[in-house]
Amino acid sequence: MSPNAAKALQTVSLTAQRKTAIVVGGTLGIGAAVARQFAKLGCSRVVVFGRNQARGAAVLEDLKRLAPGDSPVQVEFVKGELSDVQSMRAAAEALQQAGGEAGIDYLVMCQKGLPTATISENADGYDMAFAIQCISRFALAYLLTTRGALAPGAAVLSIADQGQSFDALSVDDLSLARHLATGISPTTMFLDQSKRDSSVLDAFHEELNIRYPQYRYFHLSPGLVSSEQFDVNKFPGFLKYGVWLGQRLMSSTPAQYAMLPVYILTAPAASITGRYFDSKLNPKPIGKWAADARNREALWGRLVGVVGEN
Ligand SMILES: NC(=O)c1ccc[n+]([C@@H]2O[C@H](COP(=O)([O-])OP(=O)(O)OC[C@H]3O[C@@H](n4cnc5c(N)ncnc54)[C@H](OP(=O)(O)O)[C@@H]3O)[C@@H](O)[C@H]2O)c1
């Protein structure tokens, strides 16, 4: 049975613990709500990363207002981009500095690179949306882990669809350019990009958990969350109507959803045995492509090659 995160969080307080939480993609939507939830629990430092300074400043004001009276929160906005490797490496450096000597206790990644059904290349020759959704999550987790920027026992958590599999995925065609050239429809491309993202995210989270067992790397599906900029018109073909209906019938607000990842991160480590969860916090296995160790090995080599060693 999935835990009742809202109820469990009523008994959680971070006030005396001197923890640092960093929320990437924290200026809007789920990320901003996660940052607010950390502030409410009395987290002593909350760092928000994103491109939009004005929205970042507004979130910082919320954090100060929400912190418990006896435990003021130290807040910081780090402005940055995640659309190519140069900007990802600069972001890792800035976040390591923001984490300071004590290091980062919680790193939550919510940056959005939604599939577009097409391909728009970034400076490295990768599809831009894929770079934001997947390569940047790998880059930050990998660089901050291997550069020693994480505090002892730290947890890294990524919010993006989990558990799907694009069985035909090749690490030589991560942007799916060859796949698109076969003449598939925009709807098929969108669905395959979504399965590709899930396969890649599952695969490197599993590798991170195997290679760096001193830390915990989580991957959680959001399901449908009505973030401020959620737009059904971004979904191609008939998917638009399904998403429209789903949003009306079963979506949650960012504040409701944010309790789930924050519960996973702040509950006693021994009580959280899984690493991968659906949108109701039921443990969910990684997808078929990611479960194959040969695929994970090939992907790891490719991603380290793209991002560069620390
Ligand atoms: N909401 C849902 O129902 C849903 C469903 C499935 C998957 N997801 C996934 O869940 C995650 C969070 O979704 P959300 O609805 O909360 O998204 P959102 O409201 O659109 O927020 C996305 C965040 O990503 C940041 N961002 C976007 N592009 C960036 C870039 N190039 N560099 C740095 N930061 C960037 C934005 O900040 P700035 O604009 O300040 O840069 C913003 O803080 C996303 O990965 C999304 O794909 C969401």
Side-chain angles (χ1 to χ4, degrees):
M1 200 178 71
S2 59
N4 183 336
K7 190 165 174 219
L9 281 180
Q10 285 170 7
T11 60
V12 172
S13 169
L14 297 175
T15 47
Q17 298 187 33
R18 304 201 59 72
K19 299 281 192 193
T20 295
I22 291 187
V23 187
V24 180
T27 58
L28 262 181
I30 297 171
V34 165
R36 290 187 198 102
Q37 187 63 51
F38 272 120
K40 272 189 212 168
L41 295 182
C43 189
S44 56
R45 284 197 70 221
V46 182
V47 178
V48 168
F49 178 95
R51 293 167 304 176
N52 190 308
Q53 184 112 31
R55 284 201 292 252
V59 174
L60 299 192
E61 286 309 309
D62 287 347
L63 305 184
K64 289 186 230 163
R65 185 174 46 77
L66 290 166
D70 56 344
S71 176
V73 61
Q74 212 189 327
V75 295
E76 185 178 347
F77 175 66
V78 177
K79 184 174 160 71
E81 249 290 347
L82 294 168
S83 53
D84 60 22
V85 166
Q86 197 185 358
S87 61
M88 293 170 203
R89 292 184 67 90
E93 195 145 336
L95 293 179
Q96 178 162 17
Q97 260 184 32
E101 281 286 296
I104 303 161
D105 295 283
Y106 309 116
L107 174 67
V108 183
M109 294 194 274
C110 306
Q111 59 268 43
K112 182 154 88 180
L114 191 70
T116 56
T118 182
I119 295 173
S120 162
E121 279 191 6
N122 70 0
D124 312 312
Y126 280 90
D127 177 38
M128 178 86 79
F130 173 68
I132 298 166
Q133 192 78 345
C134 297
I135 300 177
S136 80
R137 282 172 157 90
F138 172 79
L140 295 181
Y142 173 72
L143 292 173
L144 292 171
T145 299
T146 54
R147 288 174 177 181
L150 302 181
V156 176
L157 184 149
S158 200
I159 292 170
D161 283 338
Q162 190 275 330
Q164 297 189 65
S165 179
F166 183 48
D167 295 351
L169 183 61
S170 159
V171 298
D172 296 326
D173 188 30
L174 286 173
S175 291
L176 302 187
R178 293 205 303 254
H179 188 52
L180 183 62
T182 60
I184 54 174
S185 71
T187 303
T188 302
M189 181 63 173
F190 182 96
L191 291 171
D192 289 345
Q193 285 174 323
S194 174
K195 289 183 208 157
R196 179 268 325 266
D197 290 353
S198 189
S199 302
V200 168
L201 289 162
D202 271 0
F204 75 69
H205 278 82
E206 178 73 349
E207 281 301 304
L208 287 162
N209 277 311
I210 293 169
R211 290 168 191 252
Y212 306 105
Q214 66 273 41
Y215 304 117
R216 298 178 299 152
Y217 302 87
F218 297 104
H219 183 198
L220 257 65
S221 278
L224 271 178
V225 178
S226 292
S227 307
E228 297 91 322
Q229 295 203 342
F230 191 93
D231 179 3
V232 291
N233 294 312
K234 299 236 166 94
F235 295 81
F238 66 86
L239 290 176
K240 195 179 278 128
Y241 304 104
V243 172
W244 180 87
L245 192 63
Q247 203 197 2
R248 265 140 199 86
L249 295 180
M250 57 190 192
S251 75
S252 50
T253 64
Q256 287 166 334
Y257 177 74
M259 288 190 247
L260 277 55
V262 176
Y263 164 74
I264 289 280
L265 293 169
T266 58
S271 65
I272 307 290
T273 48
R275 295 287 183 268
Y276 314 112
F277 299 89
D278 70 11
S279 60
K280 304 276 179 249
L281 278 197
N282 297 300
K284 188 173 172 194
I286 56 174
K288 183 177 163 197
W289 189 89
D292 186 329
R294 288 164 306 179
N295 289 336
R296 293 200 308 270
E297 190 67 33
L299 179 72
W300 186 269
R302 180 57 56 107
L303 290 176
V304 171
V306 172
V307 166
E309 297 289 345
N310 70 27

